[in-house]
Amino acid sequence: MVSSKAATVAQYLRELSEDRRSELKKVRRVINSNLREGFEECMNWGMISYQVPLAIYPTTYNKKPLMFAALAAQKNNLSLYLMCIYQSPDLLHEIKAGFERLGNKPNMGKSCIRFKKADDIPLETIGTVIRKMTLKRFLAEYERVKG
């Protein structure tokens, strides 16, 4: 994984080539327009991160904010991390159905969606999934899976 030392999202975006910056901005716009109250956008883990602030949920396993989502420019692709699809099988199914409607096969890990162009991923479905995940639901799902 490529990790940036950028302190701000703006700085991170400036580090990218124009084409990669343009593609990440499309996905970032979808995230920010659907992100529910309580999550914050910042730089963390060398990526653009959307997280639960420690002021809201301080008892994490690693003493760091819980990551809800992240965007990153990796060596060979762009990546969107959606922790909610790892935690929630119904939301994972919804993402996969979005790919099917697009006619594209997903390039995915457990919470990672890899892509080259924003048009290759189901942006509308991603927005819907993000909008469905309230802070309360996300924390409940986290508590459920952590055991």
Side-chain angles (χ1 to χ4, degrees):
M1 176 190 311
V2 177
S3 182
S4 172
K5 296 194 185 319
T8 67
V9 173
Q11 182 182 0
Y12 181 79
L13 291 170
R14 281 193 305 271
E15 291 176 351
L16 303 176
S17 65
E18 178 55 42
D19 59 327
R20 297 184 103 201
R21 178 175 41 250
S22 174
E23 296 304 318
L24 271 190
K25 280 181 158 183
K26 291 174 189 175
V27 180
R28 181 175 175 242
R29 199 170 307 123
V30 169
I31 294 170
N32 284 329
S33 64
N34 290 284
L35 195 64
R36 301 296 288 269
E37 188 176 332
F39 298 103
E40 66 179 2
E41 180 189 58
C42 63
M43 286 299 298
N44 208 345
W45 301 284
M47 306 180 274
I48 301 172
S49 296
Y50 302 87
Q51 62 191 27
V52 179
L54 287 171
I56 292 174
Y57 192 87
T59 55
T60 64
Y61 71 97
N62 62 0
K63 310 289 188 244
K64 294 185 181 210
L66 289 178
M67 181 193 299
F68 168 68
L71 272 173
Q74 308 293 356
K75 182 178 179 181
N76 296 315
N77 55 53
L78 303 171
S79 297
L80 169 62
Y81 298 87
L82 290 173
M83 298 310 293
C84 60
I85 65 173
Y86 177 70
Q87 295 173 280
S88 181
D90 62 315
L91 295 181
L92 174 60
H93 176 75
E94 196 165 336
I95 290 290
K96 287 182 176 180
F99 273 102
E100 192 172 306
R101 284 189 299 276
L102 254 182
N104 289 346
K105 184 178 180 202
N107 180 353
M108 294 178 64
K110 288 186 179 184
S111 70
C112 176
I113 300 170
R114 292 174 289 277
F115 61 101
K116 301 270 186 201
K117 303 258 183 222
D119 291 342
D120 296 337
I121 60 175
L123 290 175
E124 185 176 330
T125 304
I126 289 165
T128 299
V129 164
I130 288 170
R131 191 171 43 256
K132 284 182 176 182
M133 190 54 70
T134 64
L135 180 64
K136 182 178 179 180
R137 179 178 176 188
F138 181 70
L139 292 175
E141 294 278 350
Y142 173 75
E143 289 288 332
R144 181 185 59 78
V145 297
K146 90 171 187 182

